[in-house]
Amino acid sequence: MSEFGMLAASLERRGLGIGRELVRFAELDAQQNGFETMQLELLVPRGWSHPSKVFFGEWYMRIGYKVTSTGSIEDLYPEPAPHLATTCDFIIYRKGSDSRRRIGASLRYQE
């Protein structure tokens, strides 16, 4: 399994396809290195919604990722948890062999 994270375009550039190209690159690199599954983690505030986190969660689903689990940051990463401004959870998304979508399947490629 391969992973990517911290890929984001600035708000001023959102909608231009930069994020899609970043994900495309990560997925193609994973495929070329023999990986069949891609995973990402979205850190979300517990008990309230942040607009950017909602946007990203919906976007990941649109490009073929499925939620596979949710966990607390305290369980997954106990050391940084006390330093966050608010309590958070992780939503784990996957795309690939353990789901019905292949890596790269939902992205439009420009060759």
Side-chain angles (χ1 to χ4, degrees), residues 19-75:
R20 190 172 295 272
E21 285 300 308
L22 290 168
V23 172
R24 181 179 92 71
F25 178 84
E27 289 182 357
L28 287 175
D29 184 68
Q31 284 178 322
Q32 291 170 352
N33 285 290
F35 294 99
E36 296 180 2
T37 305
M38 181 68 78
Q39 176 175 297
L40 64 99
E41 300 172 344
L42 182 62
L43 184 64
V44 297
R46 190 179 303 151
W48 60 281
S49 296
H50 188 283
S52 289
K53 302 300 183 167
V54 171
F55 170 85
F56 283 116
E58 292 171 353
W59 187 72
Y60 295 140
M61 299 287 281
R62 282 196 308 273
I63 63 171
Y65 285 81
K66 296 188 184 277
V67 174
T68 59
S69 63
T70 300
S72 72
I73 190 167
E74 294 86 1
D75 293 339

Side-chain angles (χ1 to χ4, degrees), residues 55-111:
F55 170 85
F56 283 116
E58 292 171 353
W59 187 72
Y60 295 140
M61 299 287 281
R62 282 196 308 273
I63 63 171
Y65 285 81
K66 296 188 184 277
V67 174
T68 59
S69 63
T70 300
S72 72
I73 190 167
E74 294 86 1
D75 293 339
L76 296 171
Y77 302 102
E79 289 184 23
H83 303 285
L84 296 176
T86 189
T87 55
C88 293
D89 290 322
F90 269 106
I91 301 174
I92 312 297
Y93 294 83
R94 284 191 184 161
K95 182 178 180 181
S97 63
D98 56 348
S99 70
R100 297 178 66 184
R101 311 256 1 216
R102 293 185 50 116
I103 296 175
S106 65
L107 300 177
R108 292 187 185 142
Y109 299 125
Q110 295 179 343
E111 301 293 335

